[in-house]
Each structure stands twice: as structure tokens, then as C-alpha cells.
Amino acid sequence: MSGGVTLEQKAVSAKRGKRLSPMVYLLIAVGALAVLSLVRVLSGATDLTSSGTVQAALIAAVPIAMAALAGLWAERAGVINIGLEGMMVLGTFGAGYAGYQWGPWAGVAFGLVLGVVGGLLHAVATVTFGVDHIISGVAINLLAPGAALFLSKLYFADAPGGGQKQSPRIADAEKITIPGASDLLGTVEAKRWFFVSDLAGVLRGLTTEVSLLTVLAVALLVLTAWVLWRTPFGLRLRSCGEAPTAAESLGVNVYRYKYLAVVASGAFAGLGGAFLAVSSGQFRDGQTGGRGFIGLAAMIFGNWRPGGLATGATLFGYTDAMALRGSGAVHALLLLLGIALLVVAVIQYRAGHHVLSGVAAAIGVLFAWWYFTSDEVPPELVGAAPYVVTLLVLGLASQRLRVPRAIGVPYQRGQGV
């Protein structure tokens, strides 16, 4: 028995020893930007690293990141939450209802409140009554759009500028720009120098006309990482998703922590929906477009970690921004995707996943061949590009996952006594 424990401790230590240092992450980022710059030079697609693309990517990535963060809070406490899409829908309606009357921040607050209502409903069903987590989440996803459409017809049909499926216009949140940086970086970006201009474009996009909602989202990601991994509260919450019976035996009120986690999950999802409505200027029926499910994919890709899910959300946001740039930009994305999949193939081969490595390499070569034998991507496929790229990269790269042990497992109070 003691020998088994020792081996397990060694395995955990080995895994911790393999964690990448911040310097390695920086080198990876530099390498990725160099590849982007090379593809930009080869294809002539200047939108690959332009400041406009970066700004559009941020706008597209934030709702995904909030949905992923919502999933993280619930599932770290052991509750599966596939009702994120429905909670985001409630957030979009809340932002539309309060936003056009009292301003964008009131819209954000009301969207968050309606998200909390969705989270509370999911918590009551799953934690208190023991309803299957998937069934409860599906029910929320079915009920929320219908409720939002009903309320939209009720409150927006006769409102000035509104309609049965959309709210009146909402003012945008305040935006910030670092003084002096935008003009200087814009000058360097316009030179089209290899790597330097691309770096300037990225930095300009990150420092020019950035919404305060985006700043809030980044702050919430950082705060979540600190709360869940650096505080006693976070340790207790994560213990409810790993070993709730053991946690209860040590005095942790498992029900309370599960409720807090799922309600917080609803709040984050509602915030993501509110960001969608405010950034686009109004609530619209069907506005979420499956972003709650993409958020779940980003969370899984990120291995239930804030930094990882932010990377997955950024990937979707970037490809979504490229799709908005049109067929030429998506055509250049084919070459970029081919290179990315070849890199994934090498990584998977070194990890011992030879079959998966072969699949990634074959698909990567196929995309590169498509790029070199064509001049553009059919318009019908441009809109699907973000989903195809996200699913391919997330599916082929996410292999070393560590799921919370007690996720989705029914729990009743008193099991640990």
C-alpha cells in the first residue's frame, strides 16, 4: 500500500515537473506570431495580424471565455452545466431590456442577474432534487430561448426601434486607448515589416479602443485563478468536485459550495450573453449562436484551467474575426491551419499518440494542399470556418485531460458522516 502511494506521489511530482515555465509560454507566443507573420508574407493577407483583426477577435473571444469560465466554476464543484447556452440567452435579453432604458452597465448588471436565475434553477434541480445534470441543462437550453422570445415580443414589439425579435439600440460601453501608443504602433504596422509590423499590429489591437467589458473579463479570469487555486474557499469548492464525501467528513458544507459554484456559473454565462448584446448594440433572437457549447469546448481544451480556456476562447475569437474579413482571409487561414495541425501531429507523436498524430498530419497536409491548389474559399464555407478550425484543433490537441473525479456524480448530504 505504501509503495503504491509512493509511486502515485512520484507520478504527481513528475507531472508537476513537466509544467511549462512562463519563459516557455513566451517563446511559444513568439513562435506563433512568427508563423503568422510568415503566412502573412506568403499569402499577402494583411488581415492576419492587423490591429482590426485583433480588436474583432477580442470582441468574439470574450463571450466564449465567459461561457467557459461559467463551465469551469460549476464543473470544478462537480456539477455538469451544459445549460450555459440557455443562461447566455437570458443574459442577452437582460442586457437588451435594461440596456436601452438605463444604459449599457445597467444592461450588464441585469443580464448577470438573469444568468444567476438560470444558474439557481440548475442548482435546485441538480443539487437539491438530484435531477440528472444533462437533463437539467438541456431543459434550460430549451426553456430559455422560448422565454426570451416571449418576453421580447412582450416588451420590445412596441418600443421605439425595437421589434418582436430584437430590442431597441443599446449604447456601447466605454472604451480606453493608451495615449500615444496607437499612432506609433499604427505607423510601424503600416510598414509591413516581417514580425515587427505584426507585433505592432497585435499590440495596437490590444491597446486601442478596448472595451471596459473586455478589461472586466480579463480581470475575472485572473480573479478566478486566484480564488480557486490560492484561497481556502477555492480549495473547498474544488474538493466538492473531487471527493465530496471526504470534503463533508472534514466539515465542508458540500451543498452550499455546489450552490455557490453553480450560481456563479450562471452569473458568468449571463455576463457573456450581456457582452454579446452590448457589443452588438442590441438584443436579437438567436444571438448566442451556440457560443455556450463552444465555451464548453474551450473549457475542456483548457483542462478546466482559466489560462487554458482563455487560449481556447482566443482561438475561436481569432478564427471568427478572420471569417468576418471574408474569403481571402479564410483562404490564408487554410495554410495557417495546415501548419498548426502539423505542429499538433509532432506534439502528439512525441507524446506516444501515433494514430492521432497520423490523423493530424494527414488533415494538415490536406489543408495545405487545398490552399496551394485554390485561390479562394467558397463563400458558403466562410461562415463555418471558426467552428471547423476550433473543433479540429481542440479535438486533436486535447488528449491529456484531467477531469474532476466526482463530476456529474449524484451526491446526498450525510454520505461523509
Side-chain angles (χ1 to χ4, degrees):
M1 185 62 140
S2 60
V5 173
T6 303
L7 288 175
E8 184 177 350
Q9 290 174 343
K10 287 182 179 180
V12 172
S13 299
K15 282 187 177 181
R16 288 178 177 173
K18 290 181 180 179
R19 288 180 182 173
L20 302 180
S21 66
M23 182 57 67
V24 174
Y25 282 113
L26 178 61
L27 292 175
I28 292 174
V30 171
L33 184 59
V35 172
L36 277 171
S37 183
L38 178 62
V39 173
R40 190 260 302 169
V41 172
L42 292 174
S43 64
T46 57
D47 283 329
L48 279 174
T49 55
S50 69
S51 55
T53 297
V54 174
Q55 290 174 330
L58 280 177
I59 293 173
V62 168
I64 304 298
M66 290 298 96
L69 201 60
L72 172 72
W73 274 82
E75 298 200 0
R76 277 293 179 177
V79 179
I80 299 173
N81 188 2
I82 67 167
L84 296 176
E85 180 78 5
M87 296 174 194
M88 288 186 75
V89 170
L90 294 176
T92 59
F93 170 79
Y97 176 77
Y100 89 92
Q101 300 183 84
W102 304 299
W105 291 104
V108 169
F110 195 54
L112 186 149
V113 169
L114 290 189
V116 166
V117 172
L120 186 60
L121 178 62
H122 189 51
V124 170
T126 57
V127 180
T128 300
F129 293 105
V131 175
D132 183 90
H133 300 186
I134 305 298
I135 294 175
S136 175
V138 169
I140 291 173
N141 287 337
L142 293 174
L143 289 173
L149 183 58
F150 170 76
L151 293 173
S152 175
K153 293 178 179 179
L154 186 64
Y155 290 106
F156 298 149
D158 298 325
Q164 292 191 352
K165 294 186 176 182
Q166 65 182 42
S167 72
R169 298 296 298 178
I170 307 170
D172 201 354
E174 295 84 355
K175 296 182 179 180
I176 56 175
T177 299
I178 297 179
S182 180
D183 293 337
L184 176 61
L185 292 170
T187 301
V188 177
E189 180 186 0
K191 299 294 184 182
R192 302 302 175 196
W193 294 328
F194 177 78
F195 189 82
V196 176
S197 292
D198 301 285
L199 178 61
V202 172
L203 292 177
R204 187 172 184 239
L206 295 175
T207 56
T208 305
E209 293 290 309
V210 178
S211 172
L212 286 180
L213 289 175
T214 300
V215 178
L216 174 63
V218 174
L220 289 174
L221 283 166
V222 175
L223 183 63
T224 291
W226 179 75
V227 169
L228 292 186
W229 276 271
R230 292 291 185 269
T231 66
F233 170 84
L235 178 61
R236 295 187 189 105
L237 187 145
R238 288 186 291 116
S239 71
C240 295
E242 297 290 342
T245 301
E248 185 185 22
S249 69
L250 294 174
V252 176
N253 189 328
V254 176
Y255 273 23
R256 177 188 300 169
Y257 278 91
K258 284 181 178 288
Y259 258 90
L260 288 172
V262 180
V263 169
S265 176
F268 284 118
L271 183 61
F275 183 93
L276 267 177
V278 172
S279 61
S280 64
Q282 64 181 161
F283 157 81
R284 295 189 303 274
D285 182 46
Q287 193 168 29
T288 55
R291 285 173 173 80
F293 299 108
I294 295 293
L296 278 176
M299 177 200 68
I300 295 171
F301 169 78
N303 209 9
W304 289 265
R305 291 272 183 169
L309 68 85
T311 303
T314 301
L315 173 64
F316 179 87
Y318 179 75
T319 53
D320 194 24
M322 292 298 292
L324 293 175
R325 292 299 187 266
S327 178
V330 175
H331 185 252
L333 197 59
L334 293 176
L335 179 58
L336 188 62
L337 179 58
I339 295 173
L341 289 176
L342 290 175
V343 172
V344 169
V346 173
I347 294 173
Q348 296 293 2
Y349 184 84
R350 295 188 62 183
H353 304 133
H354 297 161
V355 174
L356 192 64
S357 173
V359 172
I363 298 176
V365 170
L366 179 63
F367 274 102
W369 173 83
W370 186 2
Y371 170 79
F372 286 113
T373 58
S374 63
D375 295 325
E376 62 178 11
V377 175
E380 296 79 8
L381 299 179
V382 170
Y387 303 95
V388 173
V389 172
T390 302
L391 290 175
L392 279 175
V393 176
L394 300 192
L396 293 173
S398 301
Q399 294 300 313
R400 301 183 64 182
L401 301 178
R402 187 354 191 125
V403 183
R405 288 188 179 90
I407 188 170
V409 177
Y411 174 81
Q412 292 185 355
R413 181 177 290 153
Q415 290 181 353
V417 177

